[in-house]
Amino acid sequence: MSINENQSLLVYNTFHIDVAARYFTEVTTVDDLFQLQGTAIFKQNQRLILGGGSNLLFTKDYNGLVIQNRISGKELIAEDQDFYFVKAGAGENWHQFVLWSIANNYAGLENLSLIPGCVGASPMQNIGAYGIEIKEVFHELEAIHLETKEKVKFSNADCCFGYRESVFKNKYKNQFVITSVTYKLKKKPVFNTTYGAIEKELELMGIKELSSKAISDAIIRIRSSKLPDPKQIGNAGSFFKNPEVSSVRHLELKQQFPDVVAYPLENGNVKLAAGWLIEQCGWKGKRFGAAGVHVNQALVLVNYANAKGHEIYELSQNILDSVTNKFGVLLEREVNII
């Protein structure tokens, strides 16, 4: 294990923002992490744990130690009558892990296909798509405390999952490194095809018999048609969360904006489609120098060339302000700002 100085982070974030870290290292094992924790650089600097770099926006150089989590490995560790318990290293590529699970007939992750990032980010963000969230398939994770070096296991309840939230984004922010995640995947699939355009895509594909792979293939096609490939255009996927409002507020909005896109929630509130709100404010497809809003999906901010992080941040703030002014709804950024 080596520690580099003044390391460019251009290839380590999917927004392709060209900033530098004062110190940078990769850890591929838990022993690497323990060794790193004993160094003066680790003890004397602020730290940032980096996975796939797919859910953050750098607005400046990082004056500290960036630790890229490359801990790999995936295996079936247990099973019972109904479930497979599958463990994966936090540094595993998320989409490749999903495809591996599908190939092994471990069901439950198919709706989460083609989400960028690594396994370790899945519980941290409680990632979700097409009607499924990680909390529905999560069993436990293992993590190491950055200060005490203590190994800790977190159950589903311990993580306090919310909409794109967990204890690792608030109560325990920057306190732990997630080293592995174990998922509870079904032996008998229960397919979820009602969200979005999944059923229509399956019909276009000529699918007669549902399977995890068929649903995954459909979602890959849908996401590929709507979302830019980070390898081609810098982006971090959905930049904003879908806001939650009361049913009363939803009715008020619907009277003023009959076409407002919304989804009822179990708690009685209503989730609004942030992409629709942003599009109604005229942002979709707009470009400002090298920064812009994607032409096919208003939720996605993009770096077309050599945009600075602060330019994308300022664009996001202008979008937030316009949605508040037009609809009286406050959007939140889903992407972490550094």
Side-chain angles (χ1 to χ4, degrees):
M1 181 190 66
S2 61
I3 299 177
N4 300 334
E5 293 188 45
N6 299 317
Q7 172 73 55
S8 170
L9 298 176
L10 179 64
V11 299
Y12 295 102
N13 71 96
T14 61
F15 252 124
H16 305 162
I17 302 298
D18 192 8
V19 294
R22 182 179 180 187
Y23 300 106
F24 177 90
T25 191
E26 295 182 359
V27 294
T28 58
T29 66
V30 173
D31 286 341
D32 281 350
L33 184 57
F34 285 146
Q35 181 183 343
L36 179 64
Q37 287 175 303
T39 65
I41 289 176
F42 180 91
K43 295 175 181 178
Q44 296 170 6
N45 286 275
Q46 63 176 337
R47 311 130 191 160
L48 173 66
I49 309 301
L50 191 64
S54 60
N55 198 55
L56 52 79
L57 173 65
F58 285 106
T59 59
K60 56 187 176 182
D61 290 341
Y62 189 76
N63 187 28
L65 172 63
V66 172
I67 305 166
Q68 185 167 46
N69 189 337
R70 291 290 196 188
I71 298 173
S72 61
K74 46 188 182 288
E75 60 178 327
L76 174 67
I77 60 170
E79 60 182 288
D80 59 23
Q81 184 175 346
D82 299 311
F83 296 99
Y84 296 110
F85 295 86
V86 181
K87 182 177 181 179
E92 285 284 344
N93 176 274
W94 173 256
H95 180 57
Q96 294 305 314
F97 171 65
V98 171
L99 296 182
W100 175 84
S101 297
I102 292 170
N104 284 280
N105 297 315
Y106 308 147
L109 300 178
E110 51 275 0
N111 288 52
L112 303 176
S113 297
L114 209 61
I115 294 178
C118 295
V119 162
S122 65
M124 183 177 292
Q125 299 286 132
N126 185 26
I127 62 173
Y130 297 96
I132 298 294
E133 289 183 319
I134 276 299
K135 65 180 182 181
E136 299 169 48
V137 294
F138 176 89
H139 178 60
E140 68 177 15
L141 65 79
E142 295 176 342
I144 294 175
H145 195 279
L146 283 169
E147 300 298 336
T148 67
K149 301 184 182 181
E150 179 186 8
K151 290 183 178 181
V152 183
K153 287 188 177 183
F154 288 82
S155 68
N156 197 308
D158 292 334
C159 291
C160 299
F161 290 123
Y163 174 50
R164 303 297 178 269
E165 288 287 346
S166 73
V167 289
F168 302 103
K169 291 190 70 176
N170 40 72
K171 182 179 179 181
Y172 295 132
K173 187 175 182 179
N174 298 327
Q175 294 185 40
F176 287 90
V177 179
I178 296 172
T179 56
S180 69
V181 185
T182 300
Y183 303 90
K184 186 178 180 181
L185 304 180
K186 295 181 178 68
K187 289 189 171 181
K188 296 179 181 178
V190 177
F191 300 124
N192 184 336
T193 62
T194 59
Y195 196 94
I198 300 176
E199 291 181 345
K200 182 179 179 180
E201 193 65 37
L202 289 167
E203 184 178 344
L204 290 172
M205 293 166 60
I207 299 298
K208 303 298 184 184
E209 184 174 345
L210 279 182
S211 67
S212 293
K213 186 178 186 306
I215 293 173
S216 174
D217 289 344
I219 287 171
I220 289 170
R221 284 165 58 119
I222 295 168
R223 290 182 70 94
S224 297
S225 68
K226 290 184 176 182
L227 302 173
D229 183 349
K231 294 177 181 178
Q232 306 298 325
I233 303 175
N235 75 92
S238 297
F239 199 93
F240 305 97
K241 297 180 181 180
N242 290 319
E244 184 176 324
V245 299
S246 68
S247 58
V248 173
R249 180 64 184 132
H250 170 241
L251 289 176
E252 292 173 349
L253 285 168
K254 194 166 181 62
Q255 288 178 349
Q256 189 175 0
F257 306 98
D259 296 329
V260 63
V261 179
Y263 308 93
L265 300 173
E266 292 181 359
N267 63 8
N269 288 342
V270 177
K271 183 183 292 186
L272 304 179
W276 185 88
L277 298 173
I278 295 167
E279 187 172 347
Q280 298 309 301
C281 292
W283 291 102
K284 187 176 180 181
K286 288 292 182 68
R287 179 168 177 170
F288 306 87
V293 182
H294 194 253
V295 66
N296 293 329
Q297 175 52 267
L299 272 178
V300 179
L301 304 189
V302 294
N303 175 9
Y304 284 107
N306 299 305
K308 303 295 185 183
H310 70 83
E311 294 174 325
I312 293 172
Y313 180 83
E314 288 166 6
L315 172 58
S316 74
Q317 188 59 54
N318 290 335
I319 291 171
L320 291 177
D321 292 343
S322 69
V323 170
T324 300
N325 291 336
K326 185 177 180 69
F327 296 102
V329 173
L330 182 63
L331 293 185
E332 286 184 65
R333 297 177 182 89
E334 183 175 331
V335 170
N336 298 305
I337 309 300
I338 305 298

Coordinates of all heavy atoms in Angstrom, one line a residue, residues 181-245:
V181 N -21.0 -6.1 2.7 CA -22.4 -6.0 2.8 C -23.0 -7.4 2.5 O -22.6 -8.0 1.5 CB -23.0 -5.0 1.9 CG1 -24.5 -4.8 2.1 CG2 -22.4 -3.6 2.0
T182 N -23.9 -7.8 3.3 CA -24.6 -9.1 3.1 C -26.1 -8.8 2.8 O -26.8 -8.1 3.5 CB -24.5 -10.0 4.3 OG1 -23.2 -10.3 4.6 CG2 -25.2 -11.3 4.1
Y183 N -26.5 -9.5 1.7 CA -27.9 -9.3 1.2 C -28.7 -10.6 1.4 O -28.2 -11.7 1.3 CB -27.9 -8.9 -0.3 CG -27.1 -7.6 -0.6 CD1 -25.7 -7.7 -0.9 CD2 -27.7 -6.4 -0.5 CE1 -25.0 -6.6 -1.1 CE2 -26.9 -5.2 -0.7 CZ -25.6 -5.3 -1.0 OH -24.8 -4.2 -1.2
K184 N -30.0 -10.4 1.6 CA -30.9 -11.5 1.8 C -31.8 -11.6 0.5 O -32.7 -10.8 0.3 CB -31.8 -11.2 3.0 CG -32.7 -12.3 3.4 CD -33.5 -11.8 4.7 CE -34.5 -12.8 5.2 NZ -35.2 -12.4 6.4
L185 N -31.4 -12.5 -0.4 CA -32.0 -12.6 -1.7 C -32.9 -13.8 -1.8 O -32.6 -14.9 -1.2 CB -30.9 -12.6 -2.8 CG -29.9 -11.4 -2.7 CD1 -28.9 -11.5 -3.8 CD2 -30.7 -10.1 -2.8
K186 N -33.9 -13.7 -2.6 CA -35.0 -14.7 -2.6 C -34.6 -15.9 -3.5 O -34.0 -15.8 -4.5 CB -36.3 -14.1 -3.1 CG -36.9 -13.0 -2.3 CD -38.2 -12.5 -2.9 CE -38.8 -11.4 -2.0 NZ -38.0 -10.2 -1.9
K187 N -35.1 -17.1 -3.0 CA -35.0 -18.3 -3.8 C -36.2 -18.4 -4.8 O -36.0 -18.9 -6.0 CB -35.0 -19.5 -2.9 CG -33.7 -19.7 -2.1 CD -33.7 -21.1 -1.4 CE -32.3 -21.3 -0.8 NZ -32.2 -22.7 -0.1
K188 N -37.3 -17.9 -4.4 CA -38.5 -17.8 -5.3 C -38.7 -16.3 -5.6 O -39.2 -15.6 -4.8 CB -39.7 -18.4 -4.6 CG -39.6 -19.9 -4.3 CD -40.8 -20.5 -3.6 CE -40.6 -22.0 -3.3 NZ -41.8 -22.5 -2.6
P189 N -38.4 -15.9 -6.8 CA -38.5 -14.5 -7.2 C -40.0 -13.9 -7.0 O -40.9 -14.6 -7.2 CB -38.1 -14.5 -8.6 CG -37.4 -15.7 -8.9 CD -38.0 -16.7 -8.0
V190 N -40.0 -12.7 -6.5 CA -41.3 -11.9 -6.5 C -41.0 -10.7 -7.4 O -40.3 -9.8 -7.0 CB -41.7 -11.5 -5.1 CG1 -42.9 -10.7 -5.1 CG2 -41.9 -12.8 -4.2
F191 N -41.5 -10.7 -8.6 CA -41.2 -9.7 -9.6 C -42.0 -8.4 -9.3 O -43.2 -8.4 -9.0 CB -41.4 -10.2 -11.0 CG -40.5 -11.4 -11.3 CD1 -41.1 -12.6 -11.8 CD2 -39.2 -11.4 -11.1 CE1 -40.4 -13.7 -12.1 CE2 -38.4 -12.5 -11.4 CZ -39.0 -13.6 -11.9
N192 N -41.3 -7.3 -9.5 CA -41.9 -6.0 -9.4 C -41.7 -5.3 -10.8 O -40.7 -4.8 -11.1 CB -41.3 -5.1 -8.3 CG -41.9 -3.8 -8.1 OD1 -42.6 -3.2 -9.0 ND2 -41.8 -3.3 -6.9
T193 N -42.8 -5.2 -11.6 CA -42.8 -4.6 -12.9 C -43.7 -3.5 -13.1 O -43.9 -3.0 -14.2 CB -43.1 -5.7 -14.0 OG1 -44.4 -6.2 -13.8 CG2 -42.1 -6.9 -13.9
T194 N -44.4 -3.0 -12.0 CA -45.4 -2.0 -12.1 C -44.9 -0.6 -12.2 O -45.6 0.3 -12.6 CB -46.4 -2.1 -11.0 OG1 -45.7 -1.9 -9.7 CG2 -47.1 -3.5 -11.0
Y195 N -43.6 -0.4 -11.8 CA -43.1 1.0 -11.7 C -42.5 1.4 -13.0 O -41.8 0.7 -13.7 CB -42.0 1.0 -10.6 CG -41.6 2.4 -10.1 CD1 -42.2 2.9 -9.0 CD2 -40.7 3.1 -10.8 CE1 -41.8 4.2 -8.6 CE2 -40.3 4.4 -10.4 CZ -40.9 4.9 -9.3 OH -40.6 6.2 -8.8
G196 N -42.8 2.7 -13.4 CA -42.2 3.2 -14.6 C -42.7 2.5 -15.8 O -43.8 2.1 -16.0
A197 N -41.7 2.3 -16.7 CA -42.1 1.8 -18.1 C -41.6 0.3 -18.2 O -41.4 -0.1 -19.3 CB -41.4 2.6 -19.2
I198 N -41.5 -0.4 -17.1 CA -40.9 -1.7 -17.2 C -41.8 -2.6 -18.0 O -41.3 -3.4 -18.9 CB -40.7 -2.3 -15.7 CG1 -39.8 -1.5 -14.9 CG2 -40.2 -3.8 -15.9 CD1 -39.6 -2.0 -13.5
E199 N -43.1 -2.6 -17.7 CA -44.0 -3.6 -18.4 C -44.0 -3.3 -19.9 O -44.0 -4.2 -20.8 CB -45.4 -3.5 -17.8 CG -45.5 -4.0 -16.4 CD -46.9 -4.0 -15.9 OE1 -47.7 -3.2 -16.4 OE2 -47.2 -4.6 -14.8
K200 N -44.0 -2.0 -20.3 CA -44.0 -1.6 -21.7 C -42.7 -2.1 -22.4 O -42.7 -2.6 -23.5 CB -44.1 -0.1 -21.8 CG -44.2 0.4 -23.3 CD -44.3 1.9 -23.3 CE -44.4 2.4 -24.8 NZ -44.5 3.9 -24.9
E201 N -41.6 -1.9 -21.7 CA -40.3 -2.3 -22.2 C -40.3 -3.9 -22.4 O -39.7 -4.4 -23.4 CB -39.2 -1.9 -21.3 CG -37.8 -2.0 -22.0 CD -37.6 -1.1 -23.2 OE1 -38.1 0.1 -23.1 OE2 -37.0 -1.5 -24.2
L202 N -40.8 -4.6 -21.4 CA -40.8 -6.1 -21.5 C -41.7 -6.5 -22.7 O -41.3 -7.4 -23.5 CB -41.4 -6.7 -20.3 CG -40.5 -6.6 -19.0 CD1 -41.3 -6.9 -17.8 CD2 -39.3 -7.6 -19.2
E203 N -42.7 -5.7 -23.0 CA -43.6 -6.0 -24.1 C -42.8 -5.8 -25.4 O -42.9 -6.6 -26.4 CB -44.9 -5.2 -24.1 CG -45.9 -5.5 -25.2 CD -47.1 -4.6 -25.0 OE1 -47.4 -4.1 -23.9 OE2 -47.9 -4.6 -26.0
L204 N -42.1 -4.7 -25.5 CA -41.3 -4.3 -26.7 C -40.2 -5.4 -26.9 O -39.9 -5.6 -28.1 CB -40.7 -3.0 -26.5 CG -41.6 -1.8 -26.6 CD1 -40.9 -0.5 -26.2 CD2 -42.3 -1.6 -28.0
M205 N -39.7 -6.0 -25.8 CA -38.7 -7.0 -26.0 C -39.3 -8.3 -26.3 O -38.5 -9.3 -26.6 CB -37.9 -7.1 -24.6 CG -37.1 -5.9 -24.3 SD -36.6 -5.9 -22.5 CE -35.6 -7.4 -22.5
G206 N -40.6 -8.5 -26.3 CA -41.2 -9.7 -26.7 C -41.1 -10.8 -25.6 O -41.1 -12.0 -25.8
I207 N -41.0 -10.3 -24.3 CA -40.8 -11.3 -23.2 C -42.2 -11.9 -22.9 O -43.2 -11.2 -22.6 CB -40.3 -10.6 -21.9 CG1 -38.9 -10.0 -22.2 CG2 -40.2 -11.5 -20.8 CD1 -37.8 -11.0 -22.6
K208 N -42.2 -13.3 -22.9 CA -43.5 -14.0 -22.6 C -43.4 -14.5 -21.2 O -44.5 -14.7 -20.5 CB -43.6 -15.2 -23.6 CG -43.6 -14.7 -25.0 CD -44.8 -13.8 -25.4 CE -44.8 -13.5 -26.9 NZ -45.9 -12.5 -27.2
E209 N -42.2 -14.8 -20.7 CA -42.1 -15.4 -19.3 C -41.1 -14.6 -18.5 O -40.0 -14.4 -18.9 CB -41.6 -16.8 -19.4 CG -41.5 -17.5 -18.1 CD -41.1 -19.0 -18.2 OE1 -41.2 -19.5 -19.3 OE2 -40.8 -19.6 -17.2
L210 N -41.6 -14.0 -17.4 CA -40.8 -13.2 -16.6 C -39.7 -13.9 -15.9 O -39.8 -15.1 -15.5 CB -41.7 -12.5 -15.5 CG -42.5 -11.3 -15.8 CD1 -43.2 -10.8 -14.6 CD2 -41.6 -10.2 -16.4
S211 N -38.5 -13.2 -15.8 CA -37.4 -13.7 -15.1 C -36.6 -12.5 -14.5 O -36.8 -11.4 -15.0 CB -36.5 -14.6 -16.0 OG -35.9 -13.7 -17.0
S212 N -35.7 -12.8 -13.6 CA -34.9 -11.7 -13.1 C -34.0 -11.1 -14.2 O -33.9 -9.9 -14.3 CB -34.0 -12.2 -12.0 OG -34.7 -12.6 -10.8
K213 N -33.5 -12.0 -15.1 CA -32.7 -11.5 -16.2 C -33.5 -10.6 -17.1 O -33.0 -9.5 -17.6 CB -32.0 -12.6 -16.9 CG -31.0 -12.1 -18.0 CD -30.3 -13.2 -18.7 CE -29.2 -12.7 -19.6 NZ -29.8 -11.7 -20.6
A214 N -34.7 -11.0 -17.4 CA -35.5 -10.2 -18.4 C -35.8 -8.8 -17.8 O -35.8 -7.8 -18.5 CB -36.8 -11.0 -18.6
I215 N -36.1 -8.8 -16.5 CA -36.4 -7.5 -15.9 C -35.2 -6.6 -15.9 O -35.2 -5.4 -16.1 CB -37.0 -7.7 -14.5 CG1 -38.4 -8.3 -14.5 CG2 -37.0 -6.4 -13.7 CD1 -38.9 -8.8 -13.2
S216 N -34.0 -7.2 -15.5 CA -32.8 -6.5 -15.5 C -32.5 -6.0 -16.9 O -32.1 -4.8 -17.1 CB -31.6 -7.5 -15.1 OG -30.4 -6.9 -15.2
D217 N -32.6 -6.8 -17.9 CA -32.4 -6.4 -19.3 C -33.3 -5.2 -19.7 O -32.8 -4.2 -20.3 CB -32.6 -7.5 -20.3 CG -31.5 -8.6 -20.2 OD1 -30.5 -8.3 -19.6 OD2 -31.8 -9.7 -20.7
A218 N -34.5 -5.3 -19.3 CA -35.5 -4.2 -19.6 C -35.0 -2.9 -18.9 O -35.1 -1.8 -19.5 CB -36.9 -4.6 -19.1
I219 N -34.6 -3.0 -17.6 CA -34.2 -1.8 -16.9 C -32.9 -1.2 -17.5 O -32.8 0.0 -17.6 CB -34.1 -2.1 -15.4 CG1 -35.5 -2.3 -14.8 CG2 -33.3 -1.0 -14.6 CD1 -35.6 -2.8 -13.4
I220 N -32.0 -2.1 -17.9 CA -30.8 -1.6 -18.5 C -31.1 -0.8 -19.8 O -30.6 0.2 -20.1 CB -29.9 -2.8 -18.8 CG1 -29.3 -3.4 -17.5 CG2 -28.7 -2.4 -19.8 CD1 -28.6 -4.7 -17.7
R221 N -32.1 -1.3 -20.6 CA -32.5 -0.6 -21.8 C -33.1 0.7 -21.5 O -32.8 1.7 -22.1 CB -33.5 -1.5 -22.6 CG -32.8 -2.7 -23.3 CD -33.8 -3.7 -23.8 NE -34.8 -3.2 -24.6 CZ -35.0 -3.6 -25.9 NH1 -34.3 -4.5 -26.4 NH2 -36.0 -3.0 -26.6
I222 N -34.0 0.7 -20.5 CA -34.7 2.0 -20.1 C -33.7 3.0 -19.6 O -33.7 4.2 -20.0 CB -35.7 1.7 -19.0 CG1 -36.8 0.8 -19.6 CG2 -36.3 3.0 -18.5 CD1 -37.8 0.3 -18.5
R223 N -32.8 2.6 -18.7 CA -31.8 3.5 -18.1 C -30.8 4.0 -19.2 O -30.5 5.2 -19.2 CB -31.1 2.9 -17.0 CG -31.9 2.6 -15.7 CD -31.1 2.0 -14.6 NE -30.1 3.0 -14.1 CZ -30.4 3.7 -13.0 NH1 -31.5 3.7 -12.4 NH2 -29.4 4.6 -12.6
S224 N -30.4 3.1 -20.1 CA -29.5 3.5 -21.1 C -30.1 4.5 -22.1 O -29.4 5.4 -22.6 CB -29.0 2.3 -21.9 OG -28.3 1.4 -21.1
S225 N -31.4 4.5 -22.3 CA -32.1 5.4 -23.2 C -32.3 6.8 -22.6 O -32.4 7.8 -23.3 CB -33.5 4.8 -23.6 OG -34.4 4.8 -22.6
K226 N -32.4 6.8 -21.2 CA -32.7 8.1 -20.5 C -31.5 8.7 -19.9 O -31.5 10.0 -19.8 CB -33.7 7.8 -19.4 CG -35.1 7.4 -19.9 CD -36.1 7.3 -18.7 CE -37.5 7.0 -19.2 NZ -38.4 6.9 -18.1
L227 N -30.5 7.9 -19.4 CA -29.4 8.5 -18.6 C -28.1 8.4 -19.4 O -27.8 7.4 -20.1 CB -29.3 7.7 -17.3 CG -30.6 7.7 -16.5 CD1 -30.4 6.7 -15.3 CD2 -30.9 9.1 -16.0
P228 N -27.3 9.5 -19.3 CA -26.0 9.5 -20.0 C -25.0 8.5 -19.3 O -25.0 8.4 -18.1 CB -25.6 10.9 -19.9 CG -26.2 11.4 -18.6 CD -27.6 10.7 -18.6
D229 N -24.2 7.9 -20.1 CA -23.2 7.1 -19.6 C -22.0 7.9 -19.1 O -21.5 8.8 -19.8 CB -22.6 6.2 -20.8 CG -21.5 5.2 -20.4 OD1 -21.1 5.3 -19.2 OD2 -21.2 4.3 -21.2
P230 N -21.7 7.8 -17.8 CA -20.7 8.6 -17.2 C -19.3 8.5 -17.9 O -18.5 9.4 -17.8 CB -20.6 8.1 -15.7 CG -21.9 7.4 -15.5 CD -22.3 6.9 -16.8
K231 N -19.1 7.4 -18.6 CA -17.8 7.3 -19.3 C -17.8 8.2 -20.5 O -16.7 8.6 -21.0 CB -17.7 5.8 -19.8 CG -17.5 4.8 -18.7 CD -17.4 3.4 -19.2 CE -17.3 2.4 -18.1 NZ -17.2 1.0 -18.6
Q232 N -19.0 8.6 -21.0 CA -19.1 9.5 -22.1 C -19.3 11.0 -21.8 O -18.7 11.9 -22.3 CB -20.2 9.0 -23.1 CG -20.1 7.6 -23.5 CD -18.9 7.3 -24.3 OE1 -18.4 8.1 -25.1 NE2 -18.3 6.1 -24.1
I233 N -20.2 11.2 -20.8 CA -20.5 12.5 -20.3 C -20.5 12.5 -18.8 O -21.2 11.7 -18.1 CB -21.9 13.0 -20.8 CG1 -22.0 12.9 -22.3 CG2 -22.2 14.4 -20.3 CD1 -23.4 13.2 -22.8
G234 N -19.7 13.4 -18.2 CA -19.6 13.4 -16.7 C -20.9 13.7 -16.1 O -21.6 14.7 -16.4
N235 N -21.3 12.8 -15.1 CA -22.6 13.0 -14.3 C -22.6 12.1 -13.1 O -21.7 11.2 -13.1 CB -23.8 12.8 -15.2 CG -24.0 11.3 -15.5 OD1 -24.8 10.6 -14.8 ND2 -23.4 10.8 -16.6
A236 N -23.5 12.3 -12.2 CA -23.6 11.5 -11.0 C -25.0 10.9 -10.9 O -25.5 10.7 -9.8 CB -23.3 12.3 -9.8
G237 N -25.6 10.7 -12.1 CA -27.0 10.1 -12.0 C -28.0 11.2 -11.5 O -27.7 12.4 -11.7
S238 N -29.0 10.8 -10.9 CA -30.0 11.8 -10.3 C -29.3 12.7 -9.3 O -28.8 12.2 -8.3 CB -31.2 11.0 -9.7 OG -31.8 10.2 -10.6
F239 N -29.4 14.0 -9.6 CA -28.8 15.0 -8.7 C -29.7 15.4 -7.6 O -29.2 15.8 -6.5 CB -28.4 16.2 -9.5 CG -27.4 17.1 -8.9 CD1 -26.0 16.9 -9.2 CD2 -27.7 18.0 -8.0 CE1 -25.0 17.7 -8.6 CE2 -26.7 18.8 -7.4 CZ -25.4 18.6 -7.7
F240 N -31.0 15.2 -7.8 CA -32.0 15.7 -6.7 C -32.8 14.5 -6.3 O -33.1 13.6 -7.0 CB -32.9 16.8 -7.3 CG -32.1 17.9 -7.9 CD1 -31.8 18.0 -9.2 CD2 -31.7 19.0 -7.0 CE1 -31.2 19.1 -9.7 CE2 -31.0 20.1 -7.5 CZ -30.7 20.1 -8.9
K241 N -33.3 14.6 -5.0 CA -34.3 13.7 -4.5 C -35.7 14.0 -4.9 O -36.0 15.2 -5.1 CB -34.2 13.7 -3.0 CG -32.9 13.2 -2.3 CD -33.0 13.3 -0.8 CE -31.7 12.9 -0.1 NZ -31.8 13.0 1.3
N242 N -36.5 13.0 -5.0 CA -37.9 13.3 -5.3 C -38.5 13.8 -3.9 O -38.5 13.1 -2.9 CB -38.7 12.1 -5.7 CG -38.3 11.7 -7.1 OD1 -38.1 12.5 -8.0 ND2 -38.1 10.4 -7.3
P243 N -39.1 15.0 -3.9 CA -39.6 15.6 -2.7 C -40.9 14.9 -2.2 O -41.7 14.5 -3.0 CB -39.9 17.1 -3.0 CG -40.1 17.1 -4.5 CD -39.3 16.0 -5.1
E244 N -41.1 14.9 -0.9 CA -42.3 14.3 -0.3 C -43.1 15.5 0.3 O -42.6 16.3 1.0 CB -41.8 13.4 0.9 CG -43.0 12.6 1.5 CD -42.5 11.6 2.6 OE1 -41.5 11.0 2.3 OE2 -43.2 11.5 3.6
V245 N -44.4 15.5 0.0 CA -45.3 16.5 0.5 C -46.5 15.8 1.1 O -46.8 14.6 0.9 CB -45.7 17.5 -0.6 CG1 -44.5 18.2 -1.2 CG2 -46.5 16.7 -1.7

